[in-house]
Every structure is written in C-alpha cells, then in structure tokens.
Amino acid sequence: MWEQLDLFDQQLVVTKQKTVYFARPLTGTGLSSVGQFVSSVNESEILNGQIVTAIDKQLFVIENPVASTQMIPEKDIIQVTKTQQNLEQFLSDKLQASYPIIRILFDE
C-alpha cells in the first residue's frame, strides 16, 4: 500500500502554465508561410505583430495566442524573447537603413 501512495505522490508534479503563440518566421524574402509555436522566456505579454527572437537569432512575428496547448508536444515549442519592435517598426527601420544603398542603385 505504501508503494502505491509513493507512486501517487510522484505524479503530483505541477507544471507552470505558459502561454503559447502561433508565429511565422521572418525571412529575407518576407514572412514564411509555415508557422511555428513559440513561448516567451520572460513570460511577459506579447501582442499580435510583435517581433520575437529565438536563441539562434531567428526572428518570428506573433500572429495570435493558441487557444489550447494540450495537443502541442513540448519539443515543438520554440522559446523566444520579446523585442521592443513590432513588424511595422522593424520594416520601417530596415527600409531607412537601406535607403542609401537603394538610392545609389537607382541613381546610377
């Protein structure tokens, strides 16, 4: 009987609830058509259009929170860190940084 109680106690592991989001990788040619499931490392709220970065520096754009995470294996969830930019700010900054190069290409 004590062995059964021991086994029962071992199964009472409470895991921390995490919010999982559906996101698309941001590539050099735009947003990928294949989405990924991501979860924030620092657990702060992430909004739609927010850019997050993975450990390998891959950028993702958040599309929406996932309603139910019961069917998603833990290994398929990528841990990400929130950035201070949304997609519009990111693209605006990239275009401004590329402006001198674009001007040289089209003016010559």
Side-chain angles (χ1 to χ4, degrees):
M1 184 174 133
W2 291 112
E3 290 173 1
Q4 290 175 343
L5 286 175
D6 251 2
L7 184 61
F8 179 73
D9 286 344
Q10 291 173 5
Q11 293 175 358
L12 289 178
V13 177
V14 177
T15 58
K16 193 173 187 182
Q17 185 71 22
K18 61 171 105 171
T19 306
V20 175
Y21 300 89
F22 179 75
R24 291 188 198 217
L26 184 60
T27 65
T29 57
L31 286 176
S32 172
S33 60
V34 178
Q36 298 280 338
F37 295 108
V38 301
S39 180
S40 177
V41 171
N42 57 7
E43 307 256 341
S44 62
E45 182 184 10
I46 299 177
L47 304 173
N48 293 358
Q50 178 76 45
I51 293 184
V52 293
T53 182
I55 294 170
D56 64 356
K57 304 298 182 202
Q58 170 71 45
L59 297 176
F60 293 90
V61 179
I62 299 297
E63 291 215 348
N64 51 10
V66 176
S68 173
T69 60
Q70 294 175 352
M71 302 300 287
I72 305 170
E74 186 71 29
K75 64 178 179 53
D76 292 339
I77 300 174
I78 297 171
Q79 296 294 310
V80 295
T81 305
K82 181 179 171 181
T83 67
Q84 297 301 316
Q85 292 182 315
N86 62 26
L87 183 57
E88 291 174 12
Q89 292 168 326
F90 177 81
L91 293 175
S92 175
D93 290 347
K94 286 294 181 189
L95 284 172
Q96 286 178 5
S98 300
Y99 177 73
I101 297 169
I102 293 170
R103 189 170 167 204
I104 290 170
L105 289 173
F106 286 101
D107 284 348
E108 292 183 358

